[in-house]
Amino acid sequence: MANLNTEAIKQHTFDAIVIGSGMSGGWAAKEFTEKGLNTLMLERGRDVKHLVDYPTTNMYPYEFAHRGQIPYDVQQANPVMNRCYIFHEDAEHFCVKDAQHPYVQEKPFDWIRGYQVGGKSLLWARQTQRWSDYDFEGPARDGFAVDWPIRYKDIAPWYSYVEKFAGIAGNRDGLDNLPDGEFLPGFPLNVVEQYFSNFVAKNYPGRHVISARCAHLSKPNQIHLDQGRAKCQNRVLCQRGCPFGGYFSANSSTIPWALKTGKLTLRPFSVVQEIIYDDAKNKATGVRIIDTNTKQVMEFYAKVIFVNAAAINTNLVLLNSKSKRFPNGLGNDSGVLGKYVAFHNYRARAWGEYDGEMEWTTDGRNPAGGGYLPRFRNVKKQETNFLRGYAAGFSAYRQMQTDENGVGESLKRNLMNPKLSGWKVGSHMMGETIPKETNTVSLDESKKDEWGVPQLKINISYDDNDEKMIKDYQEQMTEMFTKAGFKNVNVMDSKQAPGLDIHEMGGCRMGNDPKTSMLNKWHQMHAVNNVFVTDGASMTSTSTQNPSLTYMAFTARAVDYAVSEMKKGNI
């Protein structure tokens, strides 16, 4: 900045800047600082310190003013956030309120955000599955989007690297479409989940019901204890923040690990306005922010910049980073920035009841959530009238039922003697959507937020491929449930808008050709070699797996490459 003297500029200069402190940003900070680089992490929201800032983590239900529910007036004031499953009294403080951070919905889109240090890593569902070559080769085989510039062999060692540190519980299932990893012991299926797993294996070749893989410490290793984390207590209150560090979050793991090096400067309350590009130097030189408390505009400088603001916000930062060289957004020579945004389709569900195994019930909670059906449609060849496919969750449970009939003594007796229900089974679809040029995010030219940044316009919708996929899921689950002996089988389509899956991806995709993509195989901008994007914005396609584990592996790999290039003098 013009009014900074030499000493002030020095204080604002780092080796690396990481924009965002969530799932991938935490990994970028950890990797840079471990390699000895002075790193600045920018977070637009407040700080949330592990163990310190989890105000509800040990509260009993009766200690909540509204017994866990959100008051009606708050629900009405936040129609988008209120549709999210996480929006309850115990985690409300980690959820972005609608009016505080407005955006423009050209089509209905429920944008769920977590603006604090750690981001949505505090709130995620913790499901972790690797991609396989059936996923990386999908666009090229099926003729959509552009070809991924990498394959499974490129990322496999980095999956192992992040799994060992994060702690992933799972079984070695030996499936080529869902590669095994560096697992801690998996959480077991219950008796009905195992029954359905056996039934599917026997009657549907190529289909599998496995224990869901998740980022919980079922049996911590020394590296997890060194992080100050402990074994998962199966509380399943994860959205409050875990005082044991039983599940992986940036707050409990990567950020404190990076801070221990003494190389990390964490700056919350910093909304990034743009990345500064120097036309003469032909590279990015820093980041311009506004302090949300003082409203002061500030600049910070670094040799390399990692953008990890979460997929849609990363698009916003890049679109708003305009210069003479890049009038349509940083690195946007191809014109694809903000386009080909995709997501996961979670609209469909199936459920039923089971009369068998009535001598059994469950005891305690399962952090993994039960079973997982890896994608079985169009895996090795095209076999349906829609492209790609879907994975599915599966769970079974019995619940205590209380008879509230009667008066006086009979009512008291009924209330004091709840009874177990029969088994109930359920499933939900996790469908791959196809990245389309018409699914876009862009800047609104007239509306700005409180910090002078243009509001984002979101124009994203389902298509005919998604509708056919939903129909197939419902038909297949109905058939499998019915043949397995489940009764009262039903299916539904929530018709929910895109966004509630919280798995938006793309807009700044990877690819081999700079004319059709933004990033090369190292997540490095084709046109600006010291800017990297390793969060969901970089995804060329979505596959069906929960994406966070892949973001972690991508980030660790990209930092390793960036540092090696810096040592060579190429960055």
Side-chain angles (χ1 to χ4, degrees), residues 100-168:
Q100 295 172 1
H101 300 277
Y103 62 100
V104 179
Q105 299 181 62
E106 294 189 317
K107 294 176 182 175
F109 186 90
D110 293 331
W111 189 13
I112 307 301
R113 294 156 286 174
Y115 287 164
Q116 60 264 323
V117 169
K120 291 179 289 188
S121 78
L122 280 167
L123 303 170
W124 67 312
R126 308 163 312 280
Q127 299 292 300
T128 44
Q129 308 98 18
R130 292 187 179 200
W131 281 37
S132 74
D133 271 335
Y134 296 115
D135 307 300
F136 287 111
E137 294 172 357
R141 189 195 75 172
D142 295 339
F144 66 93
V146 295
D147 190 12
W148 279 87
I150 60 172
R151 292 294 184 262
Y152 178 67
K153 63 180 175 56
D154 298 307
I155 197 68
W158 294 99
Y159 273 132
S160 294
Y161 179 78
V162 299
E163 285 168 344
K164 290 175 183 175
F165 189 83
I168 306 298

Side-chain angles (χ1 to χ4, degrees), residues 409-478:
E409 183 176 349
S410 63
L411 174 59
K412 182 178 180 181
R413 184 169 55 250
N414 289 339
L415 295 176
M416 294 296 289
N417 292 280
K419 295 181 174 57
L420 269 175
S421 71
W423 285 99
K424 301 180 185 301
V425 298
S427 171
H428 63 282
M429 184 185 87
M430 295 167 276
E432 177 173 356
T433 66
I434 304 301
K436 300 186 292 286
E437 187 173 11
T438 52
N439 274 354
T440 65
V441 295
S442 58
L443 301 182
D444 191 288
E445 298 299 329
S446 59
K447 297 179 180 176
K448 294 189 176 182
D449 65 17
E450 183 180 348
W451 304 279
V453 177
Q455 291 186 25
L456 203 65
K457 293 191 297 185
I458 301 181
N459 187 332
I460 295 174
S461 60
Y462 297 102
D463 62 16
D464 183 59
N465 198 70
D466 302 318
E467 303 300 331
K468 290 175 179 175
M469 194 181 294
I470 289 171
K471 182 174 184 293
D472 187 78
Y473 164 85
Q474 293 177 334
E475 291 174 349
Q476 293 303 310
M477 295 309 298
T478 297

Side-chain angles (χ1 to χ4, degrees), residues 60-70 89:
Y60 289 100
Y62 55 81
E63 294 181 297
F64 289 94
H66 305 95
R67 299 298 184 265
Q69 300 303 308
I70 299 292
E89 196 173 18

